Amino acid sequence: MKIEGKEYRTIWFENNVVKIIDQTKLPHKFIIKDLKTVKDAIKAIKTMEVRGAPLIGATAAYGLVLAIIENNDQTFLKKSSEDLINSRPTAINLKWAVDRMMKKISGVNSDQILNIALNEAKEICEEDIKFCENIGLNGLKIIEEIYNKKKGTVNILTHCNAGWLATINWGTATSPIYHAHKKKIPVHVWVDETRPRNQGANLTSYELNEEQIPNTIIADNTGGILMQRGEVDMCIVGTDRTLATGDVCNKIGTYLKALSAKDNNVPFYVALPSSTIDWNIKNYKEIPIEERSSEELSHVEGLDESGNVKKIQVYPKKSKAMNLAFDVTPAKYVTALITEKGICEASSKGLENLFKR
Ligand code: MRU
């Protein structure tokens, strides 16, 4: 998608270096950063220079390519793969991508291993783009249907950033929106700010602006009253891990939006590629929920009057804060899942019909 009119992807490989857009600097600065070692890739995932489930999976895949360039000894690769998987706990795409890479390179000769790993990392990215594009085409049908009934602007609420910046291109939750906009269906997006890191305000609003899609940032607590007032036609969110039962783990606050949507008969959709499905865990209480530093709550970063990025403390110094990064929306609150293979009920039957037939 575009930034200042130029097409970008979020990650690419050039001259033995992995290039990423440093998302900790957005929206105030657009900086392309080089990752040269597997440690750089792990740090980029941990510090959220790259974030979003599909993109951290792709970064881990390229991280293994960097590890091979450094030292293709099996012990080093095994340790690197473990460190990559442990760099963030909740999004399943990380483990999915590392397992896929390790399977591909196991038993491969040292003179071929780099080529094979590099092709697989590129394939993971190409596949994600295709999957996100298909999610967009499938989700477009829902937006079209609402538009045909309403004959007016379709108001869509989204949470966090499940946009192209969280994937390689298109995004998951945003892909139907981009496709609708391309088809000239009028859309307007309510963008949840998404405290504490503000991925909605800093990333979703930024990328929608760059594609000229009307959007309005709202405080995270505003969605409820907008739904009561009939100002939300549908919600679409992404996910970091969706269980085979249809339960959806996503950015903290998603669950409250789903409850509000249910109470107001607003359809609540979750968009996901199959790489985000966890077929193993049966009970959502077993999903590891990341707890991040309380400093993400107590401090905020922004531009000062001279245009310099500055971080300031907003809480009393003596106050304690707690920062859980994800929550789980039970399947019963999800209207449907929008996947690369089609739209299905959020249930084991729905997912199995699409993926395991
Ligand atoms: O903590 P983050 O910013 O990595 O969390 C990302 C989200 O919760 C996204 O909504 C999710 O990964 C889906 S991305 C297509």
Side-chain angles (χ1 to χ4, degrees):
M1 305 299 287
K2 292 196 209 67
I3 291 178
E4 293 191 357
K6 193 172 165 204
E7 284 287 341
Y8 284 94
R9 288 181 177 188
T10 50
I11 189 164
W12 64 99
F13 190 79
E14 204 176 285
N15 301 328
N16 278 2
V17 160
V18 176
K19 304 267 187 189
I20 57 157
I21 298 168
D22 181 352
Q23 299 194 22
T24 60
K25 302 290 185 296
L26 291 173
H28 306 302
K29 288 188 177 154
F30 178 74
I31 291 171
I32 292 172
K33 192 168 173 176
D34 289 353
L35 308 180
K36 296 181 177 158
T37 63
V38 64
K39 271 202 171 134
D40 289 347
I42 292 167
K43 184 163 167 259
I45 296 170
K46 276 190 174 159
T47 60
M48 295 176 67
E49 288 167 348
V50 287
R51 27 97 17 232
L55 180 57
I56 58 179
T59 308
Y62 275 125
L64 277 175
V65 171
L66 294 172
I68 292 169
I69 295 171
E70 281 170 73
N71 171 4
N72 69 19
D73 165 73
Q74 284 300 321
T75 319
F76 180 68
L77 294 185
K78 186 156 186 302
K79 170 84 174 72
S80 300
S81 72
E82 285 161 5
D83 292 347
L84 282 162
I85 289 176
N86 293 330
S87 56
R88 285 195 76 192
T90 303
I92 192 73
N93 302 58
L94 200 48
K95 179 167 165 28
W96 169 86
V98 170
D99 287 351
R100 176 166 160 173
M101 292 290 290
M102 291 303 279
K103 195 167 164 205
K104 194 79 190 177
I105 60 177
S106 90
V108 168
N109 292 339
S110 57
D111 53 338
Q112 289 175 332
I113 194 167
L114 177 57
N115 252 344
I116 288 180
L118 185 54
N119 284 339
E120 193 64 6
K122 284 183 179 164
E123 183 52 33
I124 285 174
C125 292
E126 292 307 321
E127 196 180 277
D128 189 67
I129 294 171
K130 192 73 216 147
F131 285 2
C132 285
E133 191 179 1
N134 286 344
I135 288 169
L137 293 168
N138 291 329
L140 169 64
K141 294 176 207 148
I142 298 169
I143 300 178
E144 260 175 336
E145 206 174 294
I146 294 174
Y147 175 66
N148 289 337
K149 273 197 200 135
K150 189 181 176 190
K151 304 269 183 270
T153 300
V154 181
N155 287 305
I156 302 169
L157 184 141
T158 192
H159 191 68
C160 194
N161 173 262
W164 76 270
L165 289 167
T167 64
I168 316 302
N169 210 349
W170 291 111
T172 56
T174 55
S175 187
I177 299 170
Y178 288 130
H179 280 84
H181 182 70
K182 273 185 198 297
K183 272 198 94 175
K184 309 236 177 316
I185 297 173
V187 285
H188 164 261
V189 185
W190 295 114
V191 178
D192 277 354
E193 184 187 27
T194 321
R195 281 284 288 151
R197 289 187 67 98
N198 296 334
Q199 289 96 324
N202 289 344
L203 304 173
T204 305
S205 181
Y206 170 79
E207 61 165 88
L208 292 172
N209 292 343
E210 295 297 311
E211 291 287 334
Q212 272 92 46
I213 298 190
N215 69 91
T216 308
I217 298 169
I218 50 175
D220 290 332
N221 299 328
T222 310
I225 189 169
L226 290 178
M227 292 188 216
Q228 286 174 326
R229 287 180 172 178
E231 293 184 49
V232 181
D233 296 305
M234 66 187 290
C235 303
I236 317 184
V237 300
T239 166
D240 293 81
R241 186 186 299 229
T242 286
L243 302 191
T245 56
D247 294 334
V248 170
C249 181
N250 192 46
K251 181 54 55 191
I252 194 87
T254 304
Y255 174 42
L256 288 178
K257 288 305 129 66
L259 288 178
S260 185
K262 186 79 175 178
D263 194 43
N264 291 284
N265 291 321
V266 173
F268 189 90
Y269 293 98
V270 178
L272 70 153
S274 48
S275 52
T276 307
I277 303 170
D278 183 336
W279 295 103
N280 297 316
I281 290 183
K282 297 281 176 280
N283 183 341
Y284 73 77
K285 292 188 180 146
E286 289 168 31
I287 300 174
I289 300 289
E290 179 176 20
E291 185 168 350
R292 297 187 61 86
S293 159
S294 61
E295 201 185 294
E296 291 182 351
L297 278 159
S298 60
H299 290 66
V300 288
E301 206 174 81
L303 285 185
D304 69 11
E305 281 159 2
S306 329
N308 298 315
V309 177
K310 206 167 174 181
K311 196 175 198 175
I312 56 159
Q313 164 137 9
V314 286
Y315 280 2
K317 277 203 170 122
K318 287 185 185 163
S319 296
K320 269 206 312 193
M322 195 255 238
N323 186 11
L324 291 177
F326 299 94
D327 61 24
V328 180
T329 301
K332 63 181 173 186
Y333 299 117
V334 177
T335 307
L337 302 172
I338 309 171
T339 78
E340 76 270 14
K341 285 211 171 177
I343 298 169
C344 72
E345 188 183 88
S347 66
S348 32
K349 200 168 129 220
L351 281 167
E352 273 170 27
N353 274 345
L354 273 189
F355 291 100
K356 293 205 161 167
R357 259 193 297 217

